[in-house]
Amino acid sequence: MEKRHIAILGSTGSIGRQALDVIRQHRDLFQVELLTANNSSELLIQQAIEFDANAVVICNEDKYKEVSDALSPYYIKVFAGMQSVCDLVTGDNIDIVLTSMVGFSGLSSTVSAVKAGKTIALANKETLVAAGEIVMDLAMKHNARILPVDSEHSAIFQCLMGSAGAAIEKIHLTASGGPFRTWAREDIAKATRAQALNHPNWSMGSKITIDSATMMNKGLEIIEARWLFGTPGEKINVVVHPESIIHSMVEYADGSVIAQMGHPDMREAIQFAFSYPFRLPLDNRKLNFAELGSMSFFAPDLEKFPAVKLAYEALEKGGNMACIMNAANEAAVAAFLKEQIGFYDITDIVQECMNGAEFVMAPDLETIFNTNETILARASEMIGRISGRKSF
Ligand code: MG
């Protein structure tokens, strides 16, 4: 394998740090070109020095001087602001762009990398939820390969290898069920921030951990799978699998089901996106089936976790509906993390925004950005009303 040159957008977040751990194990095969972070200047500086990055971007412009001063002795170029990320990802020195920033804010830089024909290691699922059709069309047009880093989608991608052209009968997306899987609805209604952040299997950032607790994460992943694999919603099935050993499955027309397995460790999916189509060693925990003994499976409870239903609805509606759903969810999750609203207020806000009047059947990129803005404002009004009414 020839050495690959990598940009990590969101290098100080959970996925970004795990990606650097992968690179740390294969310094001869991967070279860090670009690291970007929103705010975590101290960690960004440390990473840039350790991995001898060519350039870094600190999105928060107030921190530019701090980063620039720290990195000038190392001849590492320092830039600030979102636009710099969009410009630098197009550089000829970059082969692979890992999009590991959180939420809709990752869309513009992802689009920029796609337009430059880069290989995208896609960890930012909100990009495909909000603008899946547009991003996939651009990828086709500019010959940009999109490799999934989300563990379920990496699993599906791996289950599809060697089956070129075979008809997918069904995708079985596995879900851990999150921390509230066995809780009664009335107890979930009173769940606190700390309880929701306590994920049983995966160690992740706070936004995705709350999404896992509501199961909106699975909803977002249904839509992500639709765009990555061209599979309509009715062929995407969610199955709760609390052990998180099977990361997802593909069922073919002949009834044969292929599963991809491993202990829950994001580095596996990250490394495969970096090394594809090759496989490299990794210092992860290996499966011992005799020790594992058994695995269990359940249908998702859509009354306790309405987010899954909302995602199917958004997918069926098409247009900018998934963008509406995503924006409302981002605003609501941020408010829940600030303890301004209750747990079920998250999906109530999403539902109410989806019932609103901003639906556009064939949105362009500008419409997607406008929808996002409008819905964030709408959701924040709702949050204001709710937090004024309740005490948490
Ligand atoms: Mg996932």
Side-chain angles (χ1 to χ4, degrees):
M1 190 180 118
E2 237 175 89
K3 197 166 193 175
R4 296 177 176 182
H5 297 260
I6 298 179
I8 301 179
L9 312 189
S11 66
T12 58
S14 171
I15 297 284
R17 281 180 277 127
Q18 295 181 77
L20 288 172
D21 191 48
V22 165
I23 294 174
R24 199 177 274 122
Q25 298 183 38
H26 302 286
R27 295 294 291 261
D28 50 332
L29 295 173
F30 303 124
Q31 170 62 44
V32 172
E33 293 292 329
L34 173 66
L35 297 172
T36 81
N38 270 334
N39 270 305
S40 307
S41 46
E42 237 170 89
L43 182 54
L44 181 67
I45 291 164
Q46 206 181 304
Q47 293 174 336
I49 295 169
E50 180 186 347
F51 291 92
D52 191 25
N54 177 48
V56 304
V57 181
I58 181 82
C59 290
N60 180 350
E61 306 195 4
D62 296 339
K63 298 200 167 176
Y64 171 77
K65 196 181 173 316
E66 175 197 343
V67 179
S68 177
D69 287 351
L71 293 181
S72 71
Y74 299 91
Y75 303 100
I76 296 169
K77 292 170 218 141
V78 180
F79 301 84
M82 228 8 226
Q83 187 54 46
S84 299
V85 182
C86 294
D87 295 341
L88 289 165
V89 289
T90 67
D92 286 337
N93 58 328
I94 293 167
D95 303 315
I96 301 174
V97 178
L98 173 66
T99 62
S100 50
M101 56 300 224
V102 179
F104 184 90
S105 68
L107 181 57
S108 52
S109 50
T110 303
V111 165
S112 166
V114 165
K115 282 184 174 167
K118 301 300 178 193
T119 292
I120 310 294
L122 186 106
N124 177 248
K125 67 190 90 190
E126 292 90 342
T127 305
L128 281 192
V129 172
E133 191 164 11
I134 297 170
V135 171
M136 293 313 285
D137 283 352
L138 283 171
M140 182 83 89
K141 189 173 155 200
H142 297 277
N143 215 3
R145 173 182 266 154
I146 299 185
L147 297 172
V149 168
D150 209 345
S151 63
E152 293 79 358
H153 303 74
S154 174
I156 296 161
F157 181 75
Q158 293 178 57
C159 294
L160 289 170
M161 286 170 73
S163 302
I168 301 177
E169 188 59 31
K170 234 176 203 147
I171 284 175
H172 298 281
L173 264 185
T174 52
S176 70
F180 304 142
R181 183 177 65 85
T182 58
W183 289 33
R185 198 182 197 281
E186 58 269 29
D187 295 326
I188 300 176
K190 290 176 274 181
T192 64
R193 177 184 189 275
Q195 288 167 327
L197 281 175
N198 185 26
H199 195 279
N201 300 347
W202 294 93
S203 140
M204 307 177 289
S206 58
K207 198 262 178 181
I208 184 174
T209 305
I210 301 303
D211 283 344
S212 295
T214 61
M215 287 192 77
M216 178 55 89
N217 183 49
K218 214 46 56 181
L220 300 174
E221 290 180 354
I222 291 167
I223 300 172
E224 184 186 11
R226 189 263 169 263
W227 294 115
L228 280 173
F229 307 110
T231 314
E234 61 269 21
K235 291 192 170 189
I236 304 172
N237 177 47
V238 173
V239 58
V240 175
H241 165 45
E243 297 87 357
S244 296
I245 298 294
I246 296 183
H247 298 151
S248 277
M249 299 173 265
V250 173
E251 179 180 332
Y252 290 97
D254 58 2
S256 174
V257 177
I258 313 281
Q260 191 269 338
M261 296 182 238
H263 282 292
D265 184 336
M266 282 310 299
R267 294 176 308 158
E268 209 184 289
I270 296 166
Q271 176 168 291
F272 191 60
F274 284 174
S275 68
Y276 176 81
F278 305 104
R279 289 196 185 267
L280 304 173
L282 183 66
D283 72 340
N284 54 354
R285 185 177 160 210
K286 309 299 191 255
L287 278 178
N288 179 328
F289 286 96
E291 213 168 77
L292 189 64
S294 64
M295 293 191 275
S296 49
F297 303 93
F298 306 91
D301 186 332
L302 302 184
E303 298 309 311
K304 276 176 12 184
F305 304 104
V308 177
K309 225 168 17 184
L310 292 173
Y312 278 116
E313 274 170 41
L315 198 49
E316 204 188 319
K317 204 88 203 297
N320 64 343
M321 191 53 87
C323 176
I324 293 172
M325 181 189 86
N326 180 67
N329 182 60
E330 284 194 21
V333 168
F336 179 78
L337 283 169
K338 286 189 226 148
E339 302 182 304
Q340 294 169 335
I341 61 172
F343 190 75
Y344 279 122
D345 289 325
I346 300 173
T347 35
D348 286 350
I349 287 167
V350 174
Q351 174 83 73
E352 208 175 319
C353 286
M354 286 172 69
N355 293 343
E358 281 79 17
F359 183 67
V360 179
M361 193 58 229
D364 56 12
L365 206 49
E366 198 190 335
T367 310
I368 293 295
F369 280 102
N370 290 339
T371 300
N372 186 62
E373 285 300 306
T374 310
I375 298 299
L376 288 181
R378 168 83 34 88
S380 92
E381 275 168 38
M382 291 178 199
I383 290 159
R385 283 205 308 271
I386 295 167
S387 61
R389 200 166 66 217
K390 294 183 182 172
S391 54
F392 285 93

